[in-house]
Amino acid sequence: MSRIVILVIDGLGVGAMPDAADPRPGDAAADTLGHLLDEHRTATGRRLPLPALEALGLGFVHPHPDLAPAPSLPVAVGRAALGYPGADTYAGHQTMMGADFSRVTVARLAGHLGEVAAALRASGRRADLLAGRPVLVVGGRVLVHDNLEADPGVNWNVSGLLADNPFTEILDIARVVRSVAPVARVIAVGGRADGPLDTFVRDGDLGTVGLDTPASGFYRNGGLVVRHLGAPLDHARRLPELASGAGAPVTLVGKAADVLACDTALCCPAVGTAEVLGVTADAVRRAPDTALIVSNVQETDLAGHQQDAPRYAAVLRRTDAGLGTLLRLLSSPGDRLIVTGDHGNDPVIGHAHHTREYVPVLIHRPEATGFDRLPMARTLADVGATAAAALGLPPAALGNGTPLLRPVGGSAGVPR
């Protein structure tokens, strides 16, 4: 039996990587988890209770006076470097699934306005500059702009008000932009804002210009709809396709359903943390003896973008409660619950961007005794390779990654 659940807590970093200061010098001090715990104690006078994460070894990976120093469950624990430039959800998930994302094209929209506008006009749409700035207004209502929340030039967004446009139109515009965009990801975003979108356009880092999405109200007003359109990938060498091709059913939950976009998987998009974890638990209950489930808790990342430490803490507590349910369900030998992150998003760092941090790797193994310390993962691809090995799949069939654990009966050289 090998029911494998990879739960990505979006934006859960455990300390700055050596190159974290490259885009912003202050990011050398980034520590999403540590700052979150400190802020909670300062605000409430109490520790933030995270019993499931502590039992899984979070305090061993990130020593902190408010976390238990050692796990109490049979786990293997460690940290992972990101293995891709910048700090980006799409690149993080693709890397984790085995895609070689060590090189992504970084480009500001300003350098490609002509070709993007030409493609939009060829699709029958009007595309104009916004008051002479490097932002395109499509049909007088939808904005095409630099993403200000990721590292500069990694992603572009196509944003529109759902009151003015059906999301299908926003998505169609994004697909046209994707057809000519050199960047890793074009993100279609529809939502409800506190006013006209052009009033929330801001200058970003390194010459970027775009919508200040957190300030617009999209994240707090409800009804947010997002679709991630990634650069072309070799899907045959990613974990979901590899597992599905071997006969294991694959379920993608939450943001993972959007960013991984696997045709052979059951996709269950959702944003709310309770829904994401409930759907994940239901998928485990329905799973046969061998299955892969990849799930993403997105609201931690949204709280980081809003620089809202109390909200981040509340979401992390809800996540912890959901982990308790998953641990009870994944109790058979061979089952694996792998808890990790895709980047950092420090809510007190002073800006609304992702932060380039190490992430935890916490692997629950019901048949083990005690816990093992994992080697430092050089890339998130090692997490996917570890899951592949647990499923009995050849990790070498992935585009990238080396297992951190050998499966039961595996060869020597890495911890069991």
Side-chain angles (χ1 to χ4, degrees):
M1 180 175 289
S2 297
R3 296 178 300 173
I4 310 300
V5 176
I6 302 175
L7 183 73
V8 181
I9 304 178
D10 205 311
L12 183 62
V14 292
M17 290 179 57
D19 57 355
D22 287 352
R24 291 170 294 272
D27 283 9
D31 181 359
T32 298
L33 177 61
H35 290 158
L36 186 70
L37 296 171
D38 293 342
E39 285 288 309
H40 183 80
R41 178 167 283 281
T42 298
T44 68
R46 301 185 302 274
R47 67 191 293 271
L48 178 64
L50 301 171
L53 284 164
E54 291 182 72
L56 287 165
L58 186 60
F60 186 82
V61 173
H62 187 293
H64 190 281
D66 284 347
L67 294 175
S72 58
L73 291 173
V75 294
V77 299
R79 296 193 305 169
L82 301 184
Y84 65 88
D88 177 65
T89 295
Y90 179 79
H93 281 69
Q94 299 298 348
T95 298
M96 195 180 302
M97 294 301 106
D100 184 359
F101 237 71
S102 59
R103 296 183 180 86
V104 296
T105 301
V106 176
R108 291 175 297 148
L109 180 62
H112 299 269
L113 287 170
E115 61 219 78
V116 175
L120 289 166
R121 290 165 185 151
S123 73
R125 296 174 171 89
R126 192 174 87 247
D128 305 299
L129 288 178
L130 176 65
R133 306 181 80 183
V135 172
L136 292 172
V137 184
V138 184
R141 296 182 297 185
V142 176
L143 302 184
V144 181
H145 58 92
D146 292 312
N147 180 302
L148 300 186
E149 295 164 68
D151 283 338
V154 173
N155 303 322
W156 298 347
N157 281 22
V158 177
S159 302
L161 295 175
L162 294 176
D164 297 336
N165 317 271
F167 185 70
T168 52
E169 172 62 9
I170 299 170
L171 182 57
D172 284 345
I173 294 169
R175 286 176 172 142
V176 174
V177 175
R178 170 75 277 172
S179 71
V180 295
V183 295
R185 187 167 41 141
V186 173
I187 309 173
V189 184
R192 301 184 179 97
D194 295 335
L197 289 187
D198 59 357
T199 63
F200 298 102
V201 171
R202 308 279 188 265
D203 292 337
D205 293 337
L206 302 180
T208 55
V209 181
L211 180 70
D212 186 342
T213 306
S216 73
F218 269 19
Y219 293 154
R220 63 177 175 270
N221 289 340
L224 180 69
V225 187
V226 179
R227 185 70 61 84
H228 303 263
L229 306 179
L233 297 169
D234 184 357
H235 285 260
R237 302 196 67 188
R238 299 192 317 169
L239 179 60
E241 287 83 0
L242 188 63
S244 179
V250 177
T251 304
L252 306 176
V253 184
K255 196 173 180 179
D258 294 327
V259 298
L260 295 177
C262 174
D263 292 338
T264 57
L266 173 63
C267 291
C268 306
V271 176
T273 300
E275 182 181 2
V276 167
L277 292 166
V279 171
T280 303
D282 287 343
V284 174
R285 294 185 184 101
R286 294 193 306 266
D289 288 351
T290 301
L292 172 67
I293 300 164
V294 184
S295 183
N296 174 284
V297 173
Q298 182 181 4
E299 286 189 308
T300 43
D301 188 53
L302 298 182
H305 286 311
Q306 291 175 293
Q307 301 175 72
D308 189 340
R311 182 189 177 194
Y312 199 128
V315 175
L316 199 56
R317 288 192 68 179
R318 288 196 291 272
T319 303
D320 191 85
L323 283 170
T325 299
L326 292 175
L327 286 167
R328 291 189 290 273
L329 293 172
L330 294 163
S331 58
S332 300
D335 284 347
R336 295 288 182 269
L337 173 59
I338 304 174
V339 180
T340 189
D342 51 352
H343 49 72
N345 198 338
D346 191 326
V348 301
I349 199 70
H351 60 70
H353 301 286
H354 293 159
T355 42
R356 186 164 168 80
E357 299 180 50
Y358 294 103
V359 297
V361 181
L362 315 175
I363 306 177
H364 180 237
R365 305 168 299 161
E367 76 281 359
T369 58
F371 75 93
D372 288 310
R373 183 178 210 157
L374 293 170
M376 169 69 77
R378 61 181 180 81
T379 168
L380 285 172
D382 294 348
V383 176
T386 303
L391 285 164
L393 303 171
L398 297 171
N400 199 12
T402 302
L404 300 169
L405 285 166
R406 71 173 184 262
V408 174
S411 60
V414 291
R416 289 178 73 136

